[in-house]
Amino acid sequence: GGRRKRITVLFTDINNFTPLCEKRSPEEVIIMLNEFFNEMLEIIFRYNGTVKQFVGDEIMVIFGAPSPLENHAKAAMAMTVDAFRRLKELEERAAGRPGFYEIKVGIHSGTVVCGNVGSSERMEYTAVGDDVNLASRVMGLNKQFETLALVSQETVALTGVLPQGLELKPLGAHPVKGRENPVEIYEIKVH
């Protein structure tokens, strides 16, 4: 079974992953991915995020489930700031060594059903609902806007005081696949 919860969902993936992989052997890609995931998970866990899944280079993170989190929206935004800063720092230290240093992020908050799904053979904890899909769609809009991080109005409204080093640029309301009404989007800029 599952329970309805108000949470924040964050999707992130590596920017230009496919072109970067074309120039590397599969062994190199695995090493680079593991280094990237290692860094990202440390930051995600610092903000009490729960890694729901890895799909290739994509990570789905939920804030506010299974453990309640007082300000899940702000935690997702702060995690984004730290992730961008850490990847920039790693790129500078690498001095040309190949790695994954740029990500795209999409964040949305809403009500979902959280619980275990699967069969008697294999179960996993998940979050299901339209608001999960919308978080993924918000991340996908980065390509259209040529941005790296986007967040919905719903998350911005729940965040309160923005984390230090984060600025929001309003991009207006935009149609999103699978949604009747346009969604108010902001670009996240990290300083």
Side-chain angles (χ1 to χ4, degrees), residues 14-21 24 28-37 39-40 57 86-88 90-91 97-103:
I14 296 166
N15 200 29
N16 296 315
F17 180 72
T18 303
L20 289 167
C21 290
R24 308 273 170 237
E28 286 177 293
V29 171
I30 288 290
I31 290 167
M32 288 166 34
L33 267 176
N34 284 333
E35 289 173 356
F36 169 77
F37 286 143
E39 293 290 341
M40 290 299 291
D57 64 311
R86 179 64 177 152
L87 291 172
K88 184 176 183 178
L90 290 171
E91 184 176 28
R97 185 175 69 81
F100 298 122
Y101 305 114
E102 191 173 79
I103 56 174

Side-chain angles (χ1 to χ4, degrees), residues 19-134:
L20 289 167
C21 290
E22 283 178 347
K23 301 171 185 151
R24 308 273 170 237
S25 72
E27 292 82 4
E28 286 177 293
V29 171
I30 288 290
I31 290 167
M32 288 166 34
L33 267 176
N34 284 333
E35 289 173 356
F36 169 77
F37 286 143
N38 211 34
E39 293 290 341
M40 290 299 291
L41 264 58
E42 186 177 311
I43 297 165
I44 291 165
F45 296 153
R46 184 179 312 146
Y47 290 96
N48 300 307
T50 299
V51 174
K52 165 53 198 92
Q53 65 187 20
F54 297 106
V55 179
D57 64 311
E58 182 181 89
I59 309 171
M60 176 184 167
V61 185
I62 54 179
F63 294 87
S67 299
L69 189 56
E70 190 173 319
N71 194 334
H72 46 82
K74 189 168 189 169
M77 300 275 259
M79 188 234 106
T80 300
V81 171
D82 274 10
F84 275 94
R85 286 182 177 161
R86 179 64 177 152
L87 291 172
K88 184 176 183 178
E89 181 183 297
L90 290 171
E91 184 176 28
E92 287 169 2
R93 279 192 200 167
R97 185 175 69 81
F100 298 122
Y101 305 114
E102 191 173 79
I103 56 174
K104 291 180 295 207
V105 173
I107 308 172
H108 174 67
S109 302
T111 302
V112 301
V113 173
C114 295
N116 293 317
V117 297
S119 71
S120 58
E121 302 290 317
R122 182 176 186 274
M123 296 285 278
E124 69 177 43
Y125 186 82
T126 193
V128 177
D130 183 55
D131 286 308
V132 174
N133 299 337
L134 185 51

Side-chain angles (χ1 to χ4, degrees), residues 5 8 13 49 52 57 59 84 88 96-97 106 129 147-148 151 156 160 162 171 180 187:
K5 287 189 171 206
T8 297
D13 70 9
K52 165 53 198 92
D57 64 311
I59 309 171
F84 275 94
K88 184 176 183 178
R97 185 175 69 81
T147 53
L148 293 176
V151 61
V156 172
L162 293 177
L171 297 178
E180 278 184 32
E187 179 182 6

